[in-house]
Amino acid sequence: MVNSGLAAVLAGGVVIAYVSLSDDGAGAGTSRTSTSTVQRGDLAATVSASGSIASAKSSDLDFSTSGTIQKIYVRAGEKVGKGQKLAKLDQTDADATLASATASLTAAKYSYTASKTATGHTTASIQSAYAQYLQAKSTYASAVTALDNTILYAPFAGTITAVNDSAGDSVSGSGNSPSSSSTASSSSSSSSSSSSSSSTGVFELQTLNSLQVAAAFTEADTTKLKVGQSATISFDALTGVTAKGAVTSIATTSTTSSNVVEYEVVISLTTRPSAVRVGQTATVAVTTGSAANALYVPSAAVTTAGGQSTVTVVKNGKNVVTPVTTGVKGDSGTEIKSGLTEGETILLTTTSTSSSSNTGGFPGGGIGGGVGGGPGGGR
């Protein structure tokens, strides 16, 4: 009888301990409530992505003919105007070719003129002289063009960001490689088409007063974007420095990075802080919606079901579920167009989580060993 009584007492203690541990575990992942108030202010909804600063217009400049560079007139970092002379090749051969072509043209022109007035001239002789004149004229024009091609001019106003050759170097004459809408590298790309390190011409020319960022936005965020939307650009290397911008283009085809579908969006800077440089990493926040002087509540206070949104208002100690009409869902709250007034107290419901994996049982699992049993599980 004594043993049975002790067993009953022990069993009761174990049950009490188990219930206590179970209560502690149930506290994790449960809903908690708090209150807030309906406020008035400005709201903005934004979507963000990263990229790097690039020139909106750049070009690798090279001679269109082969030769040896005789002189370079500009240096890296220098601003140039459209049509300004940048460099010149050795013109010895071009000058000789033009001189010969000029002499041949003069002779052919004289022969053609003489053939028309010469005694006993025939139609055939005139036509032959005229054909020789046209050939000489074409050769002369080619010689003039060849001489012109020994001088490299700036195709547009900008800044020389790279000089890759010097006097005495030979060039193959690959011509210019312009990019009127250079693509800035997004966060998923490791290079930029406007980077001077990728320049293949004698010079790289960029319009540094016209900058842009190409950033990769997720497909969900891209659906909220439109050309013309305003943006704020911040810079990883420049604390507290921001610039204004606007969306200028949205890609119609996607790319996939780490199983995430993205679209490249180009944002042109409308203001440029003096410290901003091409190649710097930037974060773009595009404003997709806004509401000025609006009533708003924390977004967690709004519940939507069946197309109807509600907010729980605390009135006289009671919780009253109130239908509301919502507007912009901004970064700091959701706009309330009707249903609430400024200053009203509202209920917030949040779910707390715990990193504990306690399931309410004893370490090792269950109430092991049986009631009254020792470590061996015996009676």
Side-chain angles (χ1 to χ4, degrees):
M1 291 179 63
V2 172
N3 288 340
S4 298
L6 290 175
V9 172
L10 178 58
V14 171
V15 171
I16 292 171
Y18 180 74
V19 171
S20 176
L21 289 172
S22 297
D23 289 344
D24 289 343
T30 58
S31 296
R32 300 180 183 275
T33 59
S34 60
T35 59
S36 183
T37 58
V38 181
Q39 302 180 55
R40 183 177 293 278
D42 296 338
L43 284 178
T46 62
V47 292
S48 300
S50 297
S52 62
I53 299 296
S55 170
K57 187 176 184 180
S58 65
S59 180
D60 286 339
L61 305 181
D62 203 352
F63 290 94
S64 58
T65 187
S66 59
T68 301
I69 298 176
Q70 184 180 73
K71 187 174 181 61
I72 290 181
Y73 299 97
V74 295
R75 62 184 183 277
E78 184 174 341
K79 294 182 179 180
V80 298
K82 181 178 180 179
Q84 183 173 333
K85 184 187 294 186
L86 305 179
K88 181 176 74 172
L89 297 178
D90 186 333
Q91 297 177 327
T92 302
D93 291 343
D95 284 337
T97 299
L98 179 60
S100 176
T102 300
S104 297
L105 177 61
T106 300
K109 185 177 182 180
Y110 176 79
S111 296
Y112 170 56
T113 302
S115 68
K116 294 187 293 182
T117 58
T119 302
H121 67 273
T122 63
T123 301
S125 63
I126 294 175
Q127 290 178 339
S128 176
Y130 182 65
Q132 292 177 13
Y133 167 69
L134 291 180
Q135 179 60 45
K137 188 176 181 180
S138 176
T139 301
Y140 172 80
S142 296
V144 171
T145 298
L147 182 61
D148 289 342
N149 288 341
T150 62
I151 300 177
L152 186 58
Y153 300 94
F156 55 86
T159 301
I160 300 295
T161 54
V163 178
N164 301 316
D165 293 281
S166 56
D169 290 346
S170 297
V171 295
S172 59
S174 60
N176 297 345
S177 177
S179 176
S180 60
S181 182
S182 62
T183 302
S185 63
S186 63
S187 57
S188 61
S189 175
S190 60
S191 64
S192 169
S193 65
S194 64
S195 171
S196 61
S197 62
S198 63
S199 175
T200 58
V202 179
F203 304 99
E204 181 170 308
L205 177 63
Q206 298 187 16
T207 54
L208 298 185
N209 61 338
S210 180
L211 301 179
Q212 65 182 24
V213 181
F217 284 82
T218 63
E219 59 179 330
D221 286 345
T222 302
T223 61
K224 305 172 186 176
L225 298 176
K226 297 178 181 178
V227 171
Q229 287 174 327
S230 62
T232 300
I233 301 97
S234 57
F235 309 91
D236 291 1
L238 302 173
T239 303
V241 176
T242 59
K244 296 298 182 182
V247 176
T248 53
S249 68
I250 303 171
T252 56
T253 56
S254 65
T255 58
T256 302
S257 176
S258 301
N259 296 321
V260 177
V261 177
E262 299 173 328
Y263 290 83
E264 186 175 78
V265 178
V266 177
I267 297 91
S268 296
L269 275 66
T270 54
T271 63
R272 182 201 171 184
S274 59
V276 173
R277 297 183 179 182
V278 170
Q280 287 180 324
T281 303
T283 299
V284 179
V286 180
T287 301
T288 57
S290 62
N293 194 33
L295 289 179
Y296 69 93
V297 297
S299 295
V302 181
T303 301
T304 302
Q308 176 63 62
S309 296
T310 59
V311 173
T312 301
V313 180
V314 180
K315 292 183 178 181
N316 301 320
K318 295 182 179 181
N319 298 336
V320 181
V321 177
T322 305
V324 296
T325 302
T326 61
V328 173
K329 186 174 182 180
D331 300 336
S332 57
T334 297
E335 179 188 10
I336 303 298
K337 291 187 173 181
S338 66
L340 300 178
T341 58
E342 184 177 357
E344 282 188 295
T345 301
I346 56 174
L347 194 68
L348 299 178
T349 301
T350 58
T351 301
S352 62
T353 58
S354 173
S355 60
S356 171
S357 59
N358 182 9
T359 60
F362 289 116
I367 314 175
V371 176
R379 194 168 62 184

